[in-house]
Amino acid sequence: MYQINDNYQKLPGSYLFSTIGKKVNAYSAAHPEKRIIRLGIGDVTLPLAPAIIEALHGAVDEMGKAETFRGYAPDLGYDFLREAIAENDYRARGCDIGADEIFVSDGAKCDSGNIQEIFSLDNRIAVCDPVYPVYVDSNVMAGRTGDYDSAREVWSNVIYMPCTADNDFVPELPKETPDLIYLCFPNNPTGAAVNRSQLQEWVDYALKVGAVILYDAAYEAYITEPDVPHSIYECQGAKSCAIELHSFSKNAGFTGLRLGFTVIPKELKCGDVSLHSMWARRHGTKYNGAPYIVQRAGEAVYSEAGKAQLEEQIAYYQKNADYILNGLKKAGYRVSGGVNSPYVWMKVPEGMTSWEFFDCLLEKVNVVGTPGSGFGPSGEGYFRLTAFGSYENTVEAVDRIKTL
Ligand code: MLT
């Protein structure tokens, strides 16, 4: 008789955004006349930029001609895209990252869930609390997290690093020593950012204790402050202790197209073993590469026209973030994030839980956000709103919340 991976049985509930989707769909089915404004999941709403559409059309045409047709993509990504990433995201920022240290994939969510496979099950992970649920859930599936304490909503073998108003939502170095440290800055869900010297402290710490930092830089395009690093490789020594994950979803609207990349520097080694070689082996075995047409679209992100058009898109979402942040602040809410991030983190009214506030917003003003407790116990009492809606919807959502 076959057996299943019992670790899956340990997962509490469904994936956060699926739970929210079900609740909203049920409400909408019961009240079809209501116009719901969705500022929950961080999904973009602007159409793809013209430079990207043009690249897609061009690549589709190539696929229709014998001379330019492409079959399987190279496992690790086409050189034209890896070169464009290395040049624009790294060398232009003074980071010495080579094209051959970049692994192209179908998105940062998949990479952030899969990367734990190359580490021992004995490794102990440390995560921010609140945290993007994929980091924890994928380690639960692998069997690395111990037992779940449903009363406290924590796993026995995970080191939680609380991010609260007391520490400006930036974690302190953990008291227990982790092997793998998940960091995401600008942060999902709190929208908090770290400056270069704060991030350098984490790199120094990881080098000291022999840990690897899994650094999720999915939101770097939203950074507005000069002292906030766009990449962990802006810190000294990071190439020996950090893996960086990137997405094309938030900076270029690829949530539906799917494209991302992971950087593993060649000097990142466990003893003599190169993590770069391990991930290359994993990619070669389990992955056939992101589609050619999508990689050509990714290349267009770095063209002069693409850069200019995407700058405008990001500015559009930044304006929304600013409206939410300042609109709710003026209305008396305690809010943070939104300056280097498309996420605004708000304190829910006294006496309410995050989920109670979620229900209240959905039912009374038909606005959807994400309950902070869905991201971890320290998220209780908070609520996340995204800036990825249209400007008109964003203004209306804030105005509706003000009426509560
Ligand atoms: C979020 O809302 O946290 C993100 O959209 C999730 C994701 O990028 O997978």
Side-chain angles (χ1 to χ4, degrees), residues 9 12 81 149 181 183 216 249 274 289 294 360 362-363 365:
Q9 302 306 104
L81 179 57
D149 177 341
I181 304 166
L183 293 179
D216 187 344
S249 291
S274 147
V294 179
C360 166
L362 177 61
E363 286 160 24
V365 294

Side-chain angles (χ1 to χ4, degrees), residues 15 17 40-43 109 132-134 188 219 250 343 370 375 384 386:
Y15 183 57
F17 295 105
I41 191 162
D43 194 3
K109 178 182 184 179
Y132 179 46
V134 173
N188 180 12
Y219 298 94
K250 320 292 170 169
Y343 295 130
T370 309
F375 297 101
R384 192 193 76 174
T386 96

Side-chain angles (χ1 to χ4, degrees), residues 186 191 219 222 250 317 321 324 338-344 385-388:
Y219 298 94
Y222 290 83
K250 320 292 170 169
Y317 293 133
I324 301 172
V339 174
N340 295 294
S341 160
Y343 295 130
V344 174
L385 291 168
T386 96
F388 288 122

Side-chain angles (χ1 to χ4, degrees), residues 47-59 252 254 257 293 296-310 313:
L48 292 168
I52 293 166
I53 292 294
E54 197 183 316
L56 282 169
H57 281 300
F254 279 45
L257 272 190
I293 58 174
R296 278 292 182 203
E299 182 190 29
V301 166
Y302 300 103
S303 66
E304 284 315 308
K307 281 184 196 168
Q309 292 159 10
L310 293 174
Q313 289 202 347

Side-chain angles (χ1 to χ4, degrees), residues 13-87:
S14 57
Y15 183 57
L16 174 63
F17 295 105
S18 313
T19 309
I20 291 172
K22 279 184 209 139
K23 270 181 171 265
V24 176
N25 289 345
Y27 180 83
S28 173
H31 304 88
E33 74 291 356
K34 303 280 190 193
R35 198 176 75 79
I36 296 173
I37 300 180
R38 294 164 198 260
L39 303 182
I41 191 162
D43 194 3
V44 292
T45 51
L46 290 174
L48 292 168
I52 293 166
I53 292 294
E54 197 183 316
L56 282 169
H57 281 300
V60 167
D61 288 343
E62 282 184 66
M63 294 298 259
K65 293 189 206 118
E67 322 76 79
T68 46
F69 169 78
R70 314 273 181 136
Y72 289 127
D75 311 332
L76 310 186
Y78 281 102
D79 286 343
F80 62 76
L81 179 57
R82 298 170 87 197
E83 267 303 333
I85 294 168
E87 181 53 39

Side-chain angles (χ1 to χ4, degrees), residues 247-304:
S247 168
F248 282 75
S249 291
K250 320 292 170 169
N251 63 330
F254 279 45
T255 52
L257 272 190
R258 308 307 308 149
L259 193 66
F261 64 90
T262 288
V263 180
I264 308 191
K266 292 199 174 148
E267 59 200 79
L268 179 52
K269 290 192 174 155
C270 183
D272 288 342
V273 181
S274 147
L275 272 61
H276 180 280
S277 304
M278 289 178 76
W279 192 239
R281 184 73 174 81
R282 192 257 174 215
H283 244 47
T285 303
K286 293 196 176 182
Y287 193 54
N288 262 336
Y292 173 68
I293 58 174
V294 179
Q295 294 197 47
R296 278 292 182 203
E299 182 190 29
V301 166
Y302 300 103
S303 66
E304 284 315 308

